[in-house]
Amino acid sequence: MTSSTASTQPQAPRNRSRAAIAITAAAIAVLVILFFIFSGLYADVLWFDQVGYLNVLTTQWYATVIMFLVGFLTMALLVWLSIFIAFRARPVYAKLNSQLDRYQQVIEPLRRLAMYGIPVVLGIFMGVSTATRWPTVLQFLNRTSFGTLDPQFHLDVSFYVYELPLYRGIIGYASAALIVAGLAALATNYLYGGIRISGREVRITRPARIQLALTAAIYVALQAVSIWLDQYSTLTDESPIGSSVTITGAGYTDVNATIPSKWILAGIAILVALLFIVTAAVGRWRLPLIATALLIVSSLVIGSIYPAIVQNLQVNASARTLEAKYIGYNIDATRKAYGVDGVNVVQYNATTDVEAGQLRADAETTANIRILDPALVTKTFGQLQQVRQYYQFAPQLDVDRYKIKGKTQDTVIAVRELDSANQSSNSWYNDTLVYTHGYGIVAAYGNQRAVNGEPKFLESDIPPKGSLGSFQPRIYFGEESPEYSIVGAPKGSKNIEFDYPSGGGATASDGSTDGATTTYSGNGGPKLDSFLKKLTYAIHFGAQEILFSDAINNNSQILYDRDPKTRVEKVAPYLTLDSDPYPAVVNGHVVWLVDGYTTTADYPYSRVEQLSNTIVDTNTPQPGYALDDINYIRNSVKATVDAYTGKVTLYAWDDKDPVLKTWEKIFPSTVKPQSDMSTQLLAHVRYPADLFKVQRSILQTYHVTDAGSFYSGVDAWSVPNDPTQPKSSSVAQPPYYLTMQVPDTKAPAFTLYSTYIPKSGSSSTRSVLTGYLAVDSDAGPDYGRLTLLELPKQATVPGPGQVQNTFESDSSVLSQLNILRTGGKTDVISGNLLTVPVGGGLLYVQPVYVQSSSGDSDTSYPLLRKVLVAFGDKVEIADTLDAGLDALFGGDSGANAGDNGAGGSSGTGSGTGTGTGTGTGTPGTGLTDAQKTALQNALNDYQTALTARTAAYAANDLVAAAKADQQMQDAIKAAMAAIGG
């Protein structure tokens, strides 16, 4: 015994030591987890504080915490109180069966833990769920009247947008909490004898009966309120108005059957709740149980079967007349909610005949027709202006306008951004501290081209030069910026941030001959001026180098969340953003313009659309899933993001929007008035494409305002498929920006337009034009003015699909395109097919690009070689738009296009206009033999120099590249001299 005791004594200290180690390890683990959480929160504070929107973050935090506490306390207290009451009221001397005795023996040691632990766990789940509902609560507390009443209950629209979602949310959460509390009470009473089951007999003690009956009464009363609120939801739900037609909003059946049934069912539910209260007092369960069964049966008969009978036996047979009033409600609400109620409808009797001088009255529109396709010239921009492999341009370039020499000029514009993946030497130091930014803007005339088919640049090269004036060219914030960069240094420090290449004997502004460098001097990110901040971001980005690099100092700033959309989304979480931010040079800075929308899906009687699916076209891909239902939208905010400093500025573009007003109350002083926008900034504002696509989708059917015609659907339209895409793709043609004067408008304006053809389920339907929708995109009194040209129903103006088919089948067009293919060594690419309302009809214009299909695909790029034009059934192909229009309109269109005099060496060709024409053009029409020879020599010299430049860049020989650049410029000058340019 002594030896046994001695052998066990040393174990105690060892066990205590292990326990201490385990506790210490657990404490350290908890501290590490807490610090990781803290680092994420602290990084958010630093970021929001730096951009000047800290109140946006703190408001969300306060609201989230409060909503969590409300949900947590509601669930936890209800469940705890339910368990506590059931336990305190348990029968002390009740004799339980052996099974329950065993349950009690297991549970009793854990009773105190369960009594508090279960409510806490359930409360956490409820708190997390309610925390996400903070926008609903804050909007309710700060709600703004719409000033519009619904036609059924005559309540302001704000009731449906702000109040009804909150009331339904409260009912839902309260019901869930009561169900859980009731189950907890039921289980506790059963375990401790408040409920005893013996065969078929169920005995319930008086305290248990009172508790369970009152819980049931409150729950059923909540369901009565929920049923009552359901009547208002009919105005935002889908409603059948015929055997196969639905609208959003209450129809005849809803108004005359469904809504009255809600009143009856709510009354029955109140009766059931009262009977449960009676049961709590007198102990009779039969009446409330019978009433509950009655409620269930009534909900089936009155709530479902009766409305179905009314719909099928009464409404379907006379839907056109019975539903007319409600269809009218739907039409009016939908047009108002989507902002198309003020569309200007113009009956446009488009002609298909052509005659000389027909475009004389549309000379300004003709001069601005864009022949440069922003979706095709990215590669061309890249080969001519990328400069180095570590720069890139967006896959889809943007269209804007600038005033050049006093004249507004449509422009295809792109930002030269950094391409980190194509750096020659990737390392943390280079990726983070050296290659930190892109450089410069590249812009080309939308309506012009060089003689060899390249874009005619109005801003190009590094350092930038051109017509856009002096501006800060460094792009630290863009769509393709690195995840994060660390910039900045004390004055006098050596510059290490790479600016742009300056080899080939050229000298950069800092005196370097290999490459210009710079040090960031803006205020674009939080400073790394303390160990805590460095540690925070080292954890945030998983980069220990941030802690130990000697290149980081107290002046260093860390730039992250650099995409313009990301920055605006963070400071304005209530906005839905347009899918296409675009750059502009404004007051000496490159800024990104981002359009923000306020939306809701709770506008009564307005049709519901899925935003992500509605905006899909050639340039906007189909989303994996769409969860963004809307039935109200306003372009309420124009946001800017400075490409150098990252500064985010929000402007109230639609200051009458009640949704924006509500959010301005929630986040005060974050949105500036429209009056703060500078004149230069206003000059680059444009009507957002996503909003326009939503509106054109609505007007496919809601251009019809007569309820009977709407129900019949005989005049429904659709957006044509993009004719330049494979027929199997069935993707919508995107809208296009053009400067033009739309019929029934006062003057030319920067305009966004789209076309319509008849809607049909059959692909064999003839794609004639039925409508043409355009919107004024210039800031001013006419901004947002929608004009809908309705073509006569008997008109046979060909649509985009028909015109594209004619282009592809016309013999003269095919012969010209076959020449361009040069024995299969080049690909012929069709550019965007534009539709322009000029000459009393519709003119179609399509640029044709040629790209080498042999050799290195990375160095080949599209060149504009031909332009196709059509008017009515007549088509032409030419080297230039100007020549094509003259050929199309009897030898003289009466107006000059922007590319007048820019013809290439391959000549022009024309068709008869019937699809069976013959080529009549000759190479270099209008030039003497000497001019033709000089032009051809110049073009050959240019091609030789271009090949040399490509090879020089591939070999990283900047001297040879610079020499080739000069040879190309000389060749262009020689070509211009040859044609008298």
Side-chain angles (χ1 to χ4, degrees), residues 496 646 716 765:
I496 63 171
T765 301

PDB file of all heavy atoms in Angstrom, residues 496 646 716 765:
ATOM      1  N   ILE A 496      11.394  54.948 -56.375  1.00  0.00           N
ATOM      2  CA  ILE A 496      11.470  53.538 -56.754  1.00  0.00           C
ATOM      3  C   ILE A 496      10.235  53.069 -57.519  1.00  0.00           C
ATOM      4  O   ILE A 496      10.247  51.977 -58.092  1.00  0.00           O
ATOM      5  CB  ILE A 496      11.671  52.633 -55.521  1.00  0.00           C
ATOM      6  CG1 ILE A 496      10.469  52.732 -54.563  1.00  0.00           C
ATOM      7  CG2 ILE A 496      12.972  52.952 -54.822  1.00  0.00           C
ATOM      8  CD1 ILE A 496      10.521  51.705 -53.437  1.00  0.00           C
ATOM      9  N   GLY A 646      -7.708  58.252 -55.527  1.00  0.00           N
ATOM     10  CA  GLY A 646      -8.727  57.317 -55.074  1.00  0.00           C
ATOM     11  C   GLY A 646      -9.903  57.981 -54.389  1.00  0.00           C
ATOM     12  O   GLY A 646     -10.800  57.297 -53.877  1.00  0.00           O
ATOM     13  N   ALA A 716     -46.551  43.512 -79.185  1.00  0.00           N
ATOM     14  CA  ALA A 716     -45.363  43.353 -78.338  1.00  0.00           C
ATOM     15  C   ALA A 716     -44.112  43.342 -79.207  1.00  0.00           C
ATOM     16  O   ALA A 716     -44.112  42.812 -80.320  1.00  0.00           O
ATOM     17  CB  ALA A 716     -45.461  42.066 -77.539  1.00  0.00           C
ATOM     18  N   THR A 765     -40.041  34.710 -88.096  1.00  0.00           N
ATOM     19  CA  THR A 765     -40.683  36.006 -88.235  1.00  0.00           C
ATOM     20  C   THR A 765     -39.733  37.007 -88.863  1.00  0.00           C
ATOM     21  O   THR A 765     -38.563  37.080 -88.517  1.00  0.00           O
ATOM     22  CB  THR A 765     -41.146  36.523 -86.863  1.00  0.00           C
ATOM     23  OG1 THR A 765     -42.055  35.587 -86.310  1.00  0.00           O
ATOM     24  CG2 THR A 765     -41.835  37.860 -87.006  1.00  0.00           C
TER      25      THR A 765
END
